[in-house]
Amino acid sequence: GLGDDWEILFIQGGATTQFAMMPMNFLPADGTADYLDTGVWAHKSIAEARHFGNVNVAFDGTQCNYDHVPGSDEINQTEGAAYFHYCSNNTVFGTRFENIPDSDSPLICDTSSEMFGRPFDWDRHCAIYAGAQKNLGPSGVALVLLKKDFAEQGRTDLPSMFCYARHSKAGSRLNTPPTFGIYMMGQVFNWIHEQGGLTEMERRNSEKSSIIYDAIDTSGGFYTGLAQESSRSHMNVSFRLPTEELDDRFVEEAAAEKMDGLKGHRDAGGIRASIYNAFPREGCECLASFMKEFAARNG
Ligand code: PMP
């Protein structure tokens, strides 16, 4: 759904490099950019932007332990901001923006942990980026989408590898590109098309996540979701048990049943089930039935 007015770039260094490149190219030293602090990665992107200009934290999610993404009444925008940056899916706490936030300035989005997991209104944005390793391909490359008229406003007096204008002029072949990663992304994009595209990805992800959210909601309070219902991610389902000791036992016993990697990120605690595009529905069903059985034994 991207028209000819978009530049499509493959850039090395993952999404973290994009945290720095966006402000390097688009935030003047005397300018201000609005950022929504909605999670661990959004927080890191703010720290990177501060190297280059002023940041207005238009929403401070540390106050609510990142349990939701803000509605427009919670966002304090700067008039004339260079851009407005947000993270559409917060990997660690498991929240997402169901709707794109309203912004008066150019919208930039980090979609690393849900890119191509659902249809997206690209044209509301000026720049969108994603590290590859969740839904796209091997780690190390970022897919960067830039509206051409926005890209033209970027700085050109930068070292080449950090300058979008140069990447764009060279067709993402400014130096030797990470060929394997780009090739694999192509394979994954073809797979997505064959499965029915982004609408089908969203249908599957919505069903997959509901299976686990239902297990949380019908547990009579044994499991508590970390995210408020209206902000629930379809990619990362986070919850906790009544005690940390039970969290640990859950992780251990699940691993013995071959369900591994469920321990929540250290900043969030609890449990996190990451169920990206490649993760099958059967895995979610398996986890949900384990959750029911575990609650019956320990509740
Ligand atoms: N943004 C988000 C939302 C992420 O989930 C991650 C990685 N987990 C990053 C940025 C950083 O990505 P990378 O490791 O590719 O730099």
Side-chain angles (χ1 to χ4, degrees), residues 13-17 19 41-42 87 89-92 110-113 129-134 139-141 276:
T16 304
T17 301
F19 288 170
W41 295 101
C87 177
N89 184 79
N90 297 284
T91 324
V92 171
D110 170 10
T111 60
S112 293
S113 54
Y129 63 91
Q133 64 271 27
K134 270 68 173 194
S139 59
V141 198
Y276 298 113

